[in-house]
Amino acid sequence: MPVLDSVTLRARDAIRGIWREAAKFGAVGALAFVVDNGGYTLLVFGLPGGMEGGVMGTAPVQASVIATTAAALFSWVGNRYWTYRGRHREKVSRELLLFLVANGVGLAITAGTVYASRHLLGLDSALSDNTARILGWVLATLFRFYAYRRYVFVAS
């Protein structure tokens, strides 16, 4: 049974490693979520209780792009120096390029759900926008976790 014990220990260690990585990725992602959704809400709807909307009240898709870009930059720093600190590339420029491509796809997913909500379904409330953005975030997060592990944060 030593072979079975060895395989079991390796599988357990691999699962623990992935869960630790997923927890760190999730923590960075949760903070990036606050940056993204807080920024979006401020840009489109303004401060809570304010009489006027945000500075980008008539441009929700563009506001989504700006907020998601700010969150992506935060995410790169957090993931590079914390989540994947032992797996990042020596060439920072290549890693950043791959990160930006992965986040460009994630950004398109998130902005696409806002576009679908606003322009295809005709919904324009804060609740519908944030619901669309949360759905986009879930889909984009699943994509990003895969892309970061497989393509971006790979030791060179």
Side-chain angles (χ1 to χ4, degrees), residues 62-107:
Q62 293 87 341
S64 181
V65 169
I66 290 170
T68 301
T69 300
L73 291 173
F74 172 85
S75 177
W76 180 70
V77 171
N79 281 305
R80 183 172 208 282
Y81 294 105
W82 188 46
T83 307
Y84 300 103
R85 72 175 168 251
R87 293 179 49 186
H88 56 261
R89 297 172 183 269
E90 289 180 23
K91 289 188 83 176
V92 175
S93 59
R94 177 153 172 78
E95 181 182 272
L96 183 57
L97 176 65
L98 291 170
F99 181 86
L100 292 173
V101 168
N103 276 281
V105 173
L107 186 144

Side-chain angles (χ1 to χ4, degrees), residues 4 26 29 31 38 45 58 62 66-67 75 93 98 108 113 116 118 120 122 124 137 149 152 154:
L4 183 58
L31 292 172
F45 299 102
T58 60
Q62 293 87 341
I66 290 170
S75 177
S93 59
L98 291 170
T113 58
R118 285 279 181 137
L120 300 179
D124 63 357
W137 255 78
R149 281 185 58 77
V152 179
V154 180

Side-chain angles (χ1 to χ4, degrees), residues 9-22:
L9 289 173
R10 279 191 237 167
R12 186 189 71 206
D13 290 345
I15 290 169
R16 280 186 185 164
I18 289 172
W19 278 111
R20 274 193 300 270
E21 181 180 318

